[in-house]
Amino acid sequence: MAKLPEETVNKAFSLQRRLWETIDEVTAVAWVILEEYGETEISLSALGEVDNSRERLNSSLSRLYTLMLRVAESQPMADSATLNLLAATIESSEGTIAAVEASLQEAKRNLNLP
């Protein structure tokens, strides 16, 4: 495996866990919306936003996992393009989580969900 700084490895794996936990939270909120409101005009709009958020998180998690796997399989070291892409993916994934968490809080507030 190509060696990465310990900080980068820890950040990537921590970020994977945060993405996974946020996907779980988004999925739980979607379930609560359906249980509380059924399929109404208001709930379908909120569900559309929640589904979009889940797709963004899934995409980020998949990209991060794939890049980490590519680095692990690289010998003797990963090429600079892969490392640059990994750094950009870490940064964009952090932004995605922040945006989704804000969007999720807004959706919960608008529907008076806990």
Side-chain angles (χ1 to χ4, degrees):
M1 169 178 95
K3 296 296 179 196
L4 292 174
E6 187 72 20
E7 179 183 342
T8 301
V9 173
N10 289 339
K11 190 173 201 174
F13 287 132
S14 174
L15 190 53
Q16 285 179 343
R17 182 178 179 98
R18 285 183 58 213
L19 286 161
W20 182 82
E21 289 171 344
T22 309
I23 290 168
D24 180 62
E25 183 181 0
V26 166
T27 303
V29 168
W31 184 83
V32 169
I33 291 171
L34 279 173
E35 284 293 306
E36 293 287 324
Y37 294 95
E39 292 185 14
T40 66
E41 189 174 322
I42 293 171
S43 67
L44 289 177
S45 174
L47 286 170
E49 290 178 35
V50 168
D51 285 341
N52 183 42
S53 293
R54 185 174 38 237
E55 285 300 315
R56 291 176 61 203
L57 293 164
N58 285 343
S59 177
S60 290
L61 181 58
S62 178
R63 244 185 349 266
L64 186 57
Y65 173 81
T66 300
L67 285 166
M68 288 298 289
L69 184 58
R70 191 176 299 162
V71 169
E73 293 173 341
S74 298
Q75 287 300 326
M77 59 187 304
D79 61 84
S80 62
T82 300
L83 295 175
N84 290 337
L85 190 54
L86 177 60
T89 299
I90 287 171
E91 187 176 322
S92 71
S93 294
E94 290 172 329
T96 296
I97 290 171
V100 166
E101 287 176 341
S103 176
L104 195 58
Q105 291 306 315
E106 181 181 346
K108 289 165 76 173
R109 219 177 9 259
N110 289 343
L111 295 171
N112 297 318
L113 299 176

